[in-house]
Amino acid sequence: MVDDLSAAQAKADADVEQVKARRARDRDRMDSGAITSPKDLERMQHELTSLERRISTLEDEELEVMEQLEQAQAALTELTEKLAAVDIRLADLVASRDEKAAAIDVELEAAVAERAPAVEGLPADLLALYDRLRESKDGVGAAELRQRRCTGCQLTIDNAELAVIRAKPTDEVVRCEECQRILVRTGESGL
């Protein structure tokens, strides 16, 4: 918009200058005595009056364009300052995000390092099942059975299913019928 208004102002300036140049030429011709016919002098006088009105109109239009240009430049300056502030805020947020991502990566490495001794000695098929479930269940492959409820899907297990789970040996893998996660039985399971 600023570019369009700058172009409009340049055109208005050129139009005013062109009409002023024509007015100066006509005055010079009248003042030099080159026009001797009274009729031609009267016509030239009317043309000069018309040119004065045209100059006044063009100058008014030029002032209006200049005011619009000034407002547009002020708006552009304000938006440029806001954009700079947004860019600074974005850079801060990106730096914060990167810092937090780095901290999460450190935590993840620590968790992976902690996991290694915990999975040592587990049967490969159980570990493969857990990893497959964890991948398909938003990172939770096993859930504690607490007070007759699966903490993975948060559903209460009915009495018949609890009886089946209770009858199974403690070293047998038990899975929730609803979410299919591995159920970890503890003293708080409600069995």
Side-chain angles (χ1 to χ4, degrees):
M1 183 169 177
V2 171
D3 291 341
D4 293 343
L5 288 171
S6 294
Q9 182 183 0
K11 183 184 179 317
D13 285 341
D15 290 347
V16 168
E17 290 307 314
Q18 184 179 10
V19 174
K20 282 182 177 180
R22 185 169 172 197
R23 178 184 67 183
R25 241 187 357 258
D26 287 353
R27 272 198 188 136
D28 288 346
R29 285 181 61 205
M30 283 177 63
D31 292 345
S32 70
I35 301 175
T36 55
S37 164
K39 225 181 209 185
D40 288 342
L41 279 172
E42 184 179 333
R43 186 178 48 79
M44 190 67 77
Q45 192 66 37
H46 285 297
E47 187 173 330
L48 282 174
T49 303
S50 174
L51 288 173
E52 289 295 332
R53 281 194 307 267
R54 180 72 179 140
I55 288 171
S56 177
T57 301
L58 288 172
E59 286 175 338
D60 288 345
E61 289 173 5
E62 182 180 22
L63 284 174
E64 188 176 312
V65 169
M66 288 171 69
E67 286 175 7
Q68 290 175 356
L69 178 59
E70 187 177 305
Q71 291 171 356
Q73 285 174 328
L76 177 61
T77 300
E78 181 183 342
L79 290 174
T80 301
E81 289 170 359
K82 284 182 179 179
L83 179 61
V86 167
D87 286 343
I88 290 169
R89 177 76 175 130
L90 177 63
D92 290 346
L93 290 172
V94 166
S96 176
R97 178 205 62 199
D98 292 346
E99 185 179 304
K100 289 176 182 175
I104 290 171
D105 288 343
V106 168
E107 286 181 36
L108 181 60
E109 286 176 20
V112 168
E114 271 184 40
R115 181 179 188 241
V119 298
E120 202 171 288
L122 287 178
D125 59 340
L126 177 60
L127 195 54
L129 172 64
Y130 171 77
D131 285 338
R132 189 177 71 246
L133 287 170
R134 186 171 55 93
E135 194 173 298
S136 68
K137 302 288 183 186
D138 296 325
V140 181
E144 181 182 1
L145 177 58
R146 180 184 296 159
Q147 298 173 354
R148 301 175 38 181
R149 178 181 295 248
C150 170
T151 58
C153 62
Q154 302 301 321
L155 294 177
T156 302
I157 297 176
D158 65 42
N159 287 330
E161 182 60 24
L162 278 174
V164 171
I165 293 172
R166 192 177 302 119
K168 291 191 178 192
T170 57
D171 62 344
E172 187 175 330
V173 175
V174 177
R175 294 176 63 183
C176 175
E177 282 192 4
E178 293 299 323
C179 68
Q180 298 302 309
R181 289 180 176 93
I182 298 170
L183 287 175
V184 178
R185 295 173 275 179
T186 67
E188 295 181 25
S189 294
L191 296 175

